[in-house]
Amino acid sequence: MAASPGPAGVGGAGAVYGSGPLGFALDSGLEIKTRSVEQTLLPLVSQITTLINHKDNTKKSDKTLQAIQRVGQAVNLAVGRFVKVGEAIANENWDLKEEINIACIEAKQAGETIAALTDITNLNHLESDGQITIFTDKTGVIKAARLLLSSVTKVLLLADRVVIKQIITSRNKVLATMERLEKVNSFQEFVQIFSQFGNEMVEFAHLSGDRQNDLKDEKKKAKMAAARAVLEKCTMMLLTASKTCLRHPNCESAHKNKEGVFDRMKVALDKVIEIVTDCKPNGETDISSVSIFTGIKEFKMNIEALRENLYFQSKENLSVTLEVILERTEDFTDSAYTSHEHRERILELSTQARMELQQLISVWIQAQSKKTKSIAEELELSILKISHSLNELKKELHSTATQLAADLLKYHADHVVLKALKLTGVEGNLEALAEYACKLSEQKEQLVETCRLLRHISGTEPMEITCIHAEETFQVTGQQIISAAETLTLHPSSKIAKENLDVFCEAWESQISDMSTLLREISDVFEGRRGEKYGYLSLPKPMKNNANLKSLKPDKPDSEEQAKIAKLGLKLGLLTSDADCEIEKWEDQENEIVQYGRNMSSMAYSLYLFTRGEGPLKTSQDLIHQLEVFAAEGLKLTSSVQAFSKQLKDDDKLMLLLEINKLIPLCHQLQTVTKTSLQNKVFLKVDKCITKTRSMMALLVQLLSLCYKLLKKLQMENNGWISVTNKDSMDGKI
C-alpha cells in the first residue's frame, strides 16, 4: 500500500523506523494476515451474490455449473484459512476468545453451506433439454452469504480490538521504561535499561507501522507518520542527551536538554494512541478550520451552489465566511518577512473580493424575486468574478509563501550558524555562544512562521499536518540545540557533549531537507502535478511484448530486503536535497553542469519515492530503466565538467579531474549492474543499484559544490584581469 505524502522522509509503506542498532523495516502483523484473507474472500462472496441475483428459471450449461462449483469451493477454502487465523488470534486473547470462536464457527458453517449448495452432485434435477436449473435452494445460499459476511466482519472487528490493545500495551511498556531511564543515576544501569527500551521501541514501531499502513484516512495516516517520525529521531537524541546528563550531572543545560527529549517522546506516544483509538483530546482544533486554501475551496463551493438553489444559505453566513478567510490572510500581511509588493497585492485582492461579494449578494437578492434570463446571466457573471478574484488571491498567497520558503532554505543551506555553535562549544566561548544562540533563535522564528504560511497554502490536509509537524520540530529542536551547545561550551573537552550537539544539529539539518521536499510537493499540488513527482521524461515506457509481462508485475520484498532498501532510500532522499541546494546556488541555471545535475537529482528522487512505494516507478523493471538513463546522464555530466576543467589553472584542473575520475567508473559499474541478469534475485539487484546510485549522488553533491567554487574563482580572476587591463589602458592615455 502506498503511503501518503505525509512528512517528507517520514513514514511510508516501506519506511525504516530509526537507524543504527534500532533500525528495522515495517513487517506484516496481525492486521495484514486478517486483511489478506478478507481480500481473498470478499470478491468470491461477491461472485456468489451475482449468481443468486439471476432469475429463478435461469438455466446453465454443465460447463457453467462447474465454474459455479469452483467458486463455491474457493469460498470454502478461503473461509478455512480465515478461520485458522481467527482461532489463532482467539487462543492468544482469552478475553475475546469466546466471541471470536463463535464468529469463526458461523463463518465455517456459512462456507460449508455455500460449497454444498453450489456442488453439481447435489443438483440432480435434469430438465427435458438436458440443462439444470441452478440453486434449488436459493434462499439458503442468500442466508449463507449474509452469515458469511456478518461473521467475517465480527472477526475483523474483534481482531482490530486486539491490535489496538497490543499497541496500547506496547506504549505503556515504553512509558514505564522511559520513567526508569529518567531516574537512572549510573552509566551501567542506563546501558541495561536502554537496551530494554530499544527492544520495546522496536515492538511499538512494528505495531504502529502496521497500523499506519492499514489506515484508510490520509489525514490520520499523516498524523501517525508525524508522530512516528518524532519517535524515530528522538530515540538517538534520548541516548546522547541521557549520556551527557550522566557525564555532567550538575549541568542545568544538560538536564534541560534531556527533559525536552523525554517530553516530546511522551507527546508523540500519546498522539499514536489518540489515532488508533480515534479519541480526540478536549479542545483539539480541527486544522481544516485554519487553512486559507481549505476555506476558499469551501466558500467557492457555497457560491457555486447558488446556481442550483438560490435559498441554499443566508447572505450573512456567506459574508462571515469570507471575512474569516480574509482575516487569516493577516498571517501574510502582518509578517515581517512578507515583501511590500506581496503585502500590497494581497490587500488589494482582499478588498476586491469584498466588493465582488457585495455585488453578488445584490444580484442574488434580485434573482430570488425575478426569474429572468438576464438576472440569471448576471448572477453567473458575479459568481465567476468572485471565483476569479479568489483564485488570484490563492496564487498570490502561494507565491508569497513559497518564495519566502525557497529564499530561506537557500540562505541557510550552508548551516553557518550550526557550524559556528559547534566551534564555539569546542572553544568554550560563552560570549560567542550567546551571539550565535540569538542568531539560531531568529532563524527558528523565521522557519516557524514560514511553516505557518505554507500550512495555509499546502492544498491538502495531509500536507497541512506535515507543515504543523515541521513547525513544531523547528520550535523544539531549535531550543534543544541551544541547550546542547551551552552544555558543550561549559564542558568543551567533553566528547559526549560534542556528540550530543551533533545529533541535535543533524536533526535540524534533516528537517531543513524535509522542508525542501515539502515545498516541492506543495508546488506539485498547486500546479496539478501531484502523482507525477519529478518523473524523468526519458524514462522508457513498459514494453508490450509478452516476454516482459512477468517482469512488469509489482515485486513484493520480504521484511529484511524491505528494511535494507528503505534505509538506502532515506539516505538517497537526503542526498537529492543536498544536490538541489547546491544547484540553487548557481546564477546561470542553464549551465550544462547544472542541467545534468538537476536531471540526476530528479531521477534519484524518483528512486527514493520507489523505496517508499510512491512515485512514477511502479516495478523493478521501471527502476532498472530509470537507472540506465541515470548512469548515461552521469557520463554526460562528466564530459561537461571535463570541458569546464580546460578553463582552469593546473592545480584547480587536477583537483577537479580527480573528482571526475571517481564518478566515471561508478557510472560504468551501474550500467553493468543494470544489464546483469540475477534470476530470482531481483531485490539483490535493486539493492546493488541503489547503493551505486547513492555513491554517485554523494559525488555529484561534491562535484557541484567544487565546480561552483572554481567557477566563482575563475570569474574573479577574469574580472581582476579586465580591471588591470582597463587601468593600464587609462594610464597609457594619460
Side-chain angles (χ1 to χ4, degrees):
M1 183 183 293
S4 68
V10 173
V16 173
Y17 193 116
S19 56
L22 298 182
F24 63 89
L26 305 184
D27 197 5
S28 295
L30 175 65
E31 287 180 284
I32 306 299
K33 291 174 184 174
T34 52
R35 187 172 66 249
S36 64
V37 178
E38 174 196 14
Q39 289 169 344
T40 304
L41 184 63
L42 293 184
L44 294 171
V45 174
S46 177
Q47 292 179 43
I48 293 290
T49 306
T50 303
L51 289 172
I52 63 178
N53 283 337
H54 284 279
K55 294 180 181 179
D56 291 337
N57 62 356
T58 302
K59 295 179 180 181
K60 297 292 178 184
S61 66
D62 185 59
K63 187 177 179 181
T64 303
L65 284 170
Q66 287 176 0
I68 293 168
Q69 183 178 24
R70 285 196 297 273
V71 171
Q73 289 171 346
V75 169
N76 195 27
L77 286 170
V79 171
R81 290 195 297 272
F82 185 88
V83 166
K84 282 183 181 178
V85 174
E87 288 171 346
I89 295 167
N91 290 333
E92 294 171 6
N93 297 274
W94 288 90
D95 53 333
L96 297 174
K97 184 172 182 178
E98 187 177 351
E99 288 180 81
I100 295 174
N101 280 337
I102 291 171
C104 285
I105 290 167
E106 289 176 353
K108 190 174 181 181
Q109 288 173 347
E112 289 172 352
T113 301
I114 289 171
L117 293 173
T118 55
D119 190 350
I120 297 175
T121 57
N122 294 332
L123 303 176
N124 296 320
H125 303 279
L126 281 170
E127 301 295 328
S128 57
D129 58 2
Q131 290 187 316
I132 303 172
T133 304
I134 187 171
F135 300 148
T136 54
D137 184 9
K138 183 176 179 181
T139 305
V141 177
I142 293 171
K143 284 182 179 179
R146 285 176 178 167
L147 178 62
L148 180 57
L149 288 171
S150 172
S151 54
V152 165
T153 303
K154 282 180 191 174
V155 174
L156 291 173
L157 288 172
L158 291 166
D160 194 60
R161 281 168 57 185
V162 171
V163 172
I164 292 170
K165 187 180 76 171
Q166 286 178 340
I167 293 173
I168 292 171
T169 302
S170 179
R171 187 280 306 259
N172 291 341
K173 281 161 60 179
V174 169
L175 280 176
T177 308
M178 282 176 67
E179 285 181 16
R180 291 174 62 201
L181 279 173
E182 282 185 279
K183 297 172 184 175
V184 74
N185 291 317
S186 76
F187 192 79
Q188 186 176 2
E189 186 186 0
F190 170 78
V191 170
Q192 291 174 345
I193 299 173
F194 192 84
S195 176
Q196 179 188 338
F197 171 75
N199 292 331
E200 289 169 354
M201 283 297 292
V202 165
E203 179 192 346
F204 183 76
H206 268 291
L207 294 168
S208 60
D210 287 340
R211 189 65 174 187
Q212 179 185 324
N213 291 341
D214 200 42
L215 288 169
K216 303 295 187 292
D217 186 328
E218 292 298 325
K219 188 174 166 183
K220 286 183 181 178
K221 189 175 282 191
K223 285 183 178 179
M224 180 75 91
R228 294 182 71 249
V230 171
L231 295 172
E232 175 187 336
K233 291 178 181 176
C234 282
T235 300
M236 188 54 69
M237 293 177 185
L238 186 143
L239 175 62
T240 56
S242 297
K243 284 164 70 178
T244 305
C245 259
L246 288 168
R247 188 63 53 85
H248 308 288
N250 299 319
C251 183
E252 186 181 340
S253 58
H255 283 282
K256 183 179 177 183
N257 186 247
K258 185 185 83 168
E259 286 163 10
V261 179
F262 274 101
D263 289 345
R264 195 157 189 235
M265 288 189 80
K266 288 173 185 175
V267 170
L269 287 165
D270 287 343
K271 180 62 69 177
V272 171
I273 301 305
E274 286 167 21
I275 295 163
V276 299
T277 57
D278 207 21
C279 293
K280 287 185 180 180
N282 294 331
E284 183 179 295
T285 306
D286 187 353
I287 65 152
S288 63
S289 63
V290 297
S291 164
I292 295 175
F293 272 28
T294 302
I296 289 176
K297 182 181 177 182
E298 291 173 359
F299 180 82
K300 285 172 68 178
M301 286 171 61
N302 288 338
I303 60 172
E304 286 165 4
L306 296 175
R307 292 174 175 139
E308 304 297 327
N309 184 357
L310 292 172
Y311 303 94
F312 175 68
Q313 62 181 320
S314 69
K315 289 85 180 168
E316 293 76 16
N317 283 347
L318 211 54
S319 296
V320 168
T321 304
L322 181 64
E323 282 307 314
V324 169
I325 292 168
L326 298 182
E327 188 178 319
R328 290 174 194 154
T329 62
E330 291 174 7
D331 284 351
F332 289 79
T333 54
D334 291 350
S335 172
Y337 310 114
T338 301
S339 69
H340 177 71
E341 292 76 14
H342 281 304
R343 184 178 290 108
E344 288 299 310
R345 181 64 177 151
I346 292 167
L347 291 171
E348 179 189 329
L349 289 167
S350 298
T351 303
Q352 189 175 330
R354 284 192 184 97
M355 290 170 56
E356 284 171 354
L357 178 60
Q358 291 307 312
Q359 177 62 26
L360 173 63
I361 289 172
S362 175
V363 177
W364 181 9
I365 293 169
Q366 292 179 53
Q368 286 177 332
S369 56
K370 299 178 186 177
K371 307 289 184 183
T372 63
K373 185 179 179 182
S374 61
I375 288 293
E377 289 174 352
E378 199 173 340
L379 179 66
E380 177 65 22
L381 183 61
S382 296
I383 291 171
L384 291 174
K385 276 186 176 180
I386 193 168
S387 292
H388 177 71
S389 289
L390 291 172
N391 286 338
E392 289 300 305
L393 179 60
K394 279 179 66 176
K395 286 180 186 176
E396 192 61 32
L397 295 174
H398 179 269
S399 173
T400 303
T402 53
Q403 186 177 320
L404 175 61
D407 290 346
L408 197 57
L409 288 169
K410 188 175 181 179
Y411 183 73
H412 295 300
D414 293 333
H415 304 294
V416 174
V417 177
L418 296 184
K419 290 172 184 174
L421 278 170
K422 290 178 185 179
L423 185 61
T424 298
V426 172
E427 292 173 348
N429 189 337
L430 286 168
E431 188 177 333
L433 169 69
E435 178 189 344
Y436 289 113
C438 184
K439 287 184 178 180
L440 185 68
S441 293
E442 289 173 7
Q443 184 179 337
K444 177 193 72 176
E445 290 308 316
Q446 280 184 306
L447 287 163
V448 165
E449 189 161 332
T450 303
C451 289
R452 199 170 295 134
L453 299 186
L454 287 174
R455 173 180 165 187
H456 276 308
I457 60 103
S458 57
T460 69
E461 285 187 328
M463 281 201 288
E464 284 180 45
I465 291 161
T466 305
C467 291
I468 293 170
H469 168 73
E471 184 182 333
E472 291 171 349
T473 300
F474 284 126
Q475 190 72 265
V476 175
T477 310
Q479 194 55 48
Q480 288 176 316
I481 288 172
I482 292 170
S483 61
E486 186 179 338
T487 303
L488 179 59
T489 309
L490 293 170
H491 307 278
S493 60
S494 173
K495 289 183 179 179
I496 183 58
K498 184 179 182 301
E499 182 187 347
N500 187 49
L501 178 58
D502 287 340
V503 167
F504 282 95
C505 287
E506 282 170 14
W508 180 276
E509 290 171 12
S510 174
Q511 191 56 54
I512 290 279
S513 175
D514 289 349
M515 187 175 172
S516 178
T517 304
L518 173 63
L519 187 59
R520 287 188 287 187
E521 290 180 348
I522 287 172
S523 294
D524 280 353
V525 171
F526 186 78
E527 293 167 18
R529 293 200 309 263
R530 190 178 181 185
E532 299 176 7
K533 294 191 190 76
Y534 311 100
Y536 189 59
L537 294 177
S538 296
L539 176 65
K541 302 296 179 188
M543 305 284 281
K544 289 188 177 179
N545 90 39
N546 294 332
N548 289 301
L549 291 179
K550 185 176 180 181
S551 64
L552 293 174
K553 292 178 181 177
D555 302 296
K556 295 180 180 178
D558 62 38
S559 60
E560 193 173 321
E561 292 170 333
Q562 190 182 41
K564 194 171 183 182
I565 289 171
K567 281 182 183 178
L568 292 172
L570 284 172
K571 292 172 184 175
L572 187 59
L574 293 173
L575 285 168
T576 62
S577 296
D578 292 342
D580 290 344
C581 288
E582 291 298 333
I583 288 166
E584 286 171 5
K585 292 178 185 177
W586 291 64
E587 294 171 4
D588 180 11
Q589 290 290 308
E590 299 303 314
N591 185 295
E592 270 194 359
I593 295 172
V594 171
Q595 289 179 349
Y596 291 131
R598 189 186 295 113
N599 288 344
M600 290 177 72
S601 178
S602 177
M603 285 185 280
Y605 186 77
S606 294
L607 305 181
Y608 158 67
L609 291 179
F610 175 85
T611 65
R612 291 176 50 149
E614 299 174 20
L617 309 178
K618 303 301 181 187
T619 67
S620 299
Q621 193 64 38
D622 287 345
L623 181 76
I624 300 304
H625 284 316
Q626 181 84 307
L627 287 165
E628 288 171 352
V629 182
F630 179 82
E633 207 73 4
L635 291 171
K636 291 177 187 176
L637 172 73
T638 59
S639 297
S640 292
V641 175
Q642 282 173 336
F644 168 64
S645 69
K646 293 174 183 176
Q647 304 174 47
L648 305 173
K649 291 181 178 178
D650 288 344
D651 288 345
D652 291 341
K653 182 178 181 179
L654 179 62
M655 181 167 51
L656 190 56
L657 289 176
L658 286 171
E659 291 299 317
I660 297 171
N661 289 337
K662 294 177 188 175
L663 183 59
I664 292 172
L666 279 173
C667 293
H668 290 309
Q669 287 167 22
L670 183 59
Q671 287 178 327
T672 303
V673 173
T674 57
K675 291 170 184 175
T676 303
S677 175
L678 291 172
Q679 292 182 346
N680 301 321
K681 294 182 180 179
V682 176
F683 270 83
L684 178 60
K685 185 172 182 176
V686 170
D687 173 37
K688 285 186 175 181
C689 287
I690 294 180
T691 302
K692 293 289 181 193
T693 306
R694 232 186 74 203
S695 301
M696 286 175 65
M697 283 301 296
L699 276 173
L700 172 65
V701 173
Q702 293 174 23
L703 261 178
L704 288 169
S705 177
L706 182 58
C707 287
Y708 175 77
K709 289 173 185 174
L710 294 175
L711 178 64
K712 284 291 180 186
K713 183 179 177 182
L714 185 64
Q715 289 172 342
M716 287 176 66
E717 288 171 353
N718 289 341
N719 289 338
W721 180 82
I722 290 167
S723 300
V724 171
T725 304
N726 290 342
K727 184 176 183 297
D728 290 344
S729 299
M730 291 293 288
D731 289 344
K733 287 179 182 178
I734 292 169

